Amino acid sequence: MKKNKKEVTIYDLAKELNYSPSTISRALNNHKSISKKTTKEIQKVAKKMGYRPNTIAASLRSNKTKTIGIMIARINRPFISSLISGAENTARKAGYNILISQSNDKYENEVSNAKALYDSRIGGLIVSLAMETKNLDHFKLFIDQNIPIVFVDRVPLEFNSYRVIIDNYSAGFRATQHLIDQGCKRIAHFAGAQHLNIYNLRKKGYLDALKENGLEVDEELIMDLETMSFEEGKEATDQLLNMDNPPDGIFSSNDTAAVSAILCAKEKGIKIPEELAIIGFNDDPISSIVEPALSTISHPAMKMGEISAQKILEHSVKKLDSNISEITMLDTEVIVRNSSNRQK
Amino acid sequence: MKKNKKEVTIYDLAKELNYSPSTISRALNNHKSISKKTTKEIQKVAKKMGYRPNTIAASLRSNKTKTIGIMIARINRPFISSLISGAENTARKAGYNILISQSNDKYENEVSNAKALYDSRIGGLIVSLAMETKNLDHFKLFIDQNIPIVFVDRVPLEFNSYRVIIDNYSAGFRATQHLIDQGCKRIAHFAGAQHLNIYNLRKKGYLDALKENGLEVDEELIMDLETMSFEEGKEATDQLLNMDNPPDGIFSSNDTAAVSAILCAKEKGIKIPEELAIIGFNDDPISSIVEPALSTISHPAMKMGEISAQKILEHSVKKLDSNISEITMLDTEVIVRNSSNRQK
DNA sequence: TTGTAGGCGTTATCAA
DNA sequence: TTGATAACGCCTACAA
């Protein structure tokens, strides 16, 4: 096997330049105690000799890394990949790396991923919880070491940490109100797993909007979908449309199931939005492509990622205590498209 | 500020158990020279005392990390996020972490990201090149240190490394052949940036399919789209359909532009697939939602990620020389949907 | 099977 | 402004 080219260290630079390693180190870090001239000279030679800092060694010394860990359920979802993209851009600008891990919505994976990220001595953690997660003990390790945690989107109810969320209650309320404004009287709801408060709050918003408008809540119209998948959306729609008194509107907690509802209803010859108005949640790319285009709630996914990373960067700079509790709530927007627009 | 809880080291375990640190180290790594009994005892106490290995220290010592770096243009694209997802799952199972970086298709970012990942002493690198990248010098650093590089999808023509790709030529040929089989005589092509061989080869396949079937190549039907965006797709379609002798088929090098073409043609009252048959590339989620559903070429994105990670893991185990050249070519599939199916 | 000792590359402290 | 030294936690060659 070929022998690796020996890497240049500050010792090599010290020998070359007749300075001590400490002077080299300081110059490379732009320490103010070193003269401008010396600093310049050292940096020039460092570049010429192809010196690359060993961040591992620096991390060992300082016991922290310029790395942010991200734990999410799955990367290949439009909302999540945009969120990561935002976080990466922000972190990168500040010289931070991004370490990612997927739980695939399994609690067990989340726990072991947390350990793996902890062992990598990340400087901060961004988390969107796995569907299964109810216990949060695996995050205590980080708190003990004063490593900031930012929960985003799927956040726990109680845990001292940063939280970056949208107002799911309000979004659910406004989505439902929108359908009511279009004349819907019997509005169904595709509700996700209720132990996740993103879904729980959307449902609460739905219920309150009905009540506030004097509409009856019919439990039969509330469909509990475990994973909010395309298939579950189809099943639920089938069931709803086979009722003696079918709904005239559906508020789905995600776009996947909502699109599925559109396709299913169309197949049955039901007119959208005249007979059935539909609104989803997330503003995934498919929502503007399906026909009729799906009304939905738009999330600022990329921005949520940026803010999450920003929180960690600030925390590190200010050396704050990780036992903090701060909530950042972002605005959502009701996007009205043809699946619910009866005013045309 | 709260003081961090002191972390448990192998020295603490050594003191607690009256063993030397080396014995502790060996036991934790399941070294065979330590007796089963001792190993078990040490691991039990380590767990009880909340010991977490410091991978930073281990990395400094061994001069390598269990981390795979990934460089891509943007995370929030269906193909890319699936590729990363596959790589992450495979890496995680082997105890490796994934570090990601986006170039946003800028050469400059790719260069600085390469340095950042190098400085993190990654154990291997997975790269899909930025649109702008033509020079590859920034990857030499890795070769010098015998760090394996796997280029995936957008790969360079010449560079000793692993390459994981699909047969773009064949896919382009078959997509075009499919349109010809449907009776198309004048087939347009949405060609991406030609210095990227994924696009270059798709175009070659298109050209050869035409020739092999005795169809004339009309340069006017070959649209050069810089970024293959939705907007560019619309413009190109507009232009094509305004011709005196418009095409009766379009092979687009991606789904985004193809979907755009469908929407644009429909708006003009053109019947798809009867008057205009369309096939895309990638099998993005939108392709099965648009109406009529888009025929396309499916990529095994997740699998490409898995294989890429696998290559790096194997390379590390076998301690191979990074100055290697190995190409893995994966199958693609022509997915026929209504946008091109005239046989119904 | 277990222990001793040195070093991975950097940086903070103290001294000059 | 610069230099000497120790320490971060782990691993491994060598010794016992």
Side-chain angles (χ1 to χ4, degrees), chain A residues 80-91 301-307 309, chain B residues 75-76 102:
Chain A
I80 293 295
S81 60
S82 293
L83 188 143
I84 299 177
S85 184
E88 198 274 341
N89 284 331
T90 299
M302 181 114 36
K303 190 159 192 185
M304 289 173 86
E306 290 166 5
I307 292 175
Chain B
I75 297 161
N76 52 344
Q102 310 182 88

Side-chain angles (χ1 to χ4, degrees), chain A residues 29-76:
Chain A
N29 289 303
N30 290 308
H31 196 285
K32 55 191 174 224
S33 73
I34 307 290
S35 77
K36 274 261 156 51
K37 199 181 121 233
T38 316
T39 299
K40 218 168 203 171
E41 178 195 6
I42 291 178
Q43 291 187 351
K44 206 180 89 190
V45 175
K47 188 161 186 189
K48 203 186 68 194
M49 291 179 64
Y51 170 79
R52 294 268 83 215
N54 187 324
T55 55
I56 303 279
S59 295
L60 176 60
R61 180 63 233 250
S62 64
N63 197 31
K64 59 184 146 170
T65 63
K66 287 197 157 201
T67 301
I68 294 175
I70 300 191
M71 303 180 62
I72 37 73
R74 285 187 181 81
I75 297 161
N76 53 343

Side-chain angles (χ1 to χ4, degrees), chain B residues 27-95:
Chain B
L28 292 172
N29 290 301
N30 290 307
H31 196 286
K32 55 190 173 221
S33 74
I34 307 291
S35 76
K36 275 263 156 52
K37 199 180 123 233
T38 316
T39 299
K40 218 168 202 171
E41 179 195 5
I42 291 177
Q43 293 186 349
K44 206 181 90 190
V45 174
K47 187 160 185 191
K48 203 186 67 197
M49 290 178 66
Y51 169 79
R52 292 271 83 213
N54 187 324
T55 56
I56 304 279
S59 294
L60 176 60
R61 176 64 228 252
S62 64
N63 197 32
K64 59 183 148 173
T65 63
K66 287 197 156 200
T67 301
I68 294 175
I70 300 192
M71 303 179 62
I72 37 73
R74 288 188 180 81
I75 297 161
N76 52 344
R77 296 289 178 269
F79 174 74
I80 294 295
S81 59
S82 292
L83 188 143
I84 299 178
S85 183
E88 198 274 341
N89 284 332
T90 300
R92 183 74 49 204
K93 272 183 216 148

Side-chain angles (χ1 to χ4, degrees), chain B residues 150-168:
Chain B
V150 180
F151 286 103
V152 56
D153 194 46
R154 286 195 198 162
V155 306
L157 267 178
E158 308 243 332
F159 199 90
N160 277 356
S161 58
Y162 292 93
R163 266 167 276 185
V164 176
I165 52 178
I166 54 165
D167 189 340
N168 285 288

Side-chain angles (χ1 to χ4, degrees), chain B residues 10-11 22 25 51 61:
Chain B
I10 55 173
Y11 284 89
S22 38
S25 170
Y51 169 79
R61 176 64 228 252

Side-chain angles (χ1 to χ4, degrees), chain B residues 84-315:
Chain B
I84 299 178
S85 183
E88 198 274 341
N89 284 332
T90 300
R92 183 74 49 204
K93 272 183 216 148
Y96 275 65
N97 280 316
I98 292 282
L99 218 43
I100 51 167
S101 72
Q102 310 182 88
S103 67
N104 288 304
D105 272 325
K106 301 285 177 220
Y107 168 69
E108 197 183 317
N109 291 342
E110 193 175 279
V111 173
S112 68
N113 290 351
K115 286 194 180 126
L117 294 186
Y118 177 82
D119 292 348
S120 301
R121 299 301 191 269
I122 54 172
L125 181 63
I126 296 174
V127 187
S128 181
L129 293 172
M131 196 79 89
E132 286 184 1
T133 300
K134 282 156 192 172
N135 180 305
L136 300 170
D137 287 349
H138 48 301
F139 295 115
K140 289 204 180 126
L141 213 45
F142 297 94
I143 302 296
D144 285 345
Q145 294 304 323
N146 204 24
I147 296 166
I149 301 181
V150 180
F151 286 103
V152 56
D153 194 46
R154 286 195 198 162
V155 306
L157 267 178
E158 308 243 332
F159 199 90
N160 277 356
S161 58
Y162 292 93
R163 266 167 276 185
V164 176
I165 52 178
I166 54 165
D167 189 340
N168 285 288
Y169 173 82
S170 155
F173 190 102
R174 288 181 296 140
T176 310
Q177 183 68 53
H178 164 69
L179 293 180
I180 295 170
D181 292 345
Q182 302 296 309
C184 296
K185 303 278 181 222
R186 275 179 63 71
I187 300 174
H189 178 48
F190 290 176
Q194 289 300 300
H195 69 277
L196 292 179
N197 56 12
I198 56 167
Y199 293 127
N200 186 285
L201 290 167
R202 288 170 200 181
K203 180 174 170 185
K204 278 218 182 85
Y206 156 81
L207 293 172
D208 284 1
L210 292 185
K211 286 173 201 154
E212 201 156 295
N213 286 271
L215 294 175
E216 186 201 354
V217 171
D218 183 345
E219 288 293 339
E220 290 213 335
L221 295 180
I222 300 176
M223 313 301 288
D224 289 315
L225 311 198
E226 221 166 305
T227 64
M228 299 293 296
S229 68
F230 198 85
E231 292 69 29
E232 283 185 324
K234 181 174 161 40
E235 267 175 52
T237 310
D238 259 336
Q239 201 176 319
L240 288 171
L241 297 181
N242 284 335
M243 289 172 69
D244 292 337
N245 190 4
D248 57 2
I250 299 177
F251 162 41
S252 168
S253 278
N254 79 7
D255 283 347
T256 308
V259 164
S260 178
I262 290 183
L263 301 181
C264 178
K266 267 169 68 179
E267 206 169 279
K268 291 184 191 294
I270 289 172
K271 288 209 180 91
I272 301 171
E274 294 78 5
E275 298 174 76
L276 182 67
I278 303 180
I279 186 165
F281 209 111
N282 280 350
D283 200 14
D284 284 346
I286 50 167
S287 64
S288 51
I289 300 297
V290 68
E291 216 158 309
L294 176 66
S295 296
T296 189
I297 301 290
S298 85
H299 260 201
M302 181 113 36
K303 190 159 190 186
M304 289 173 86
E306 290 165 6
I307 291 176
S308 301
Q310 200 57 49
K311 289 292 166 204
I312 289 174
L313 298 174
E314 279 170 18
H315 184 102

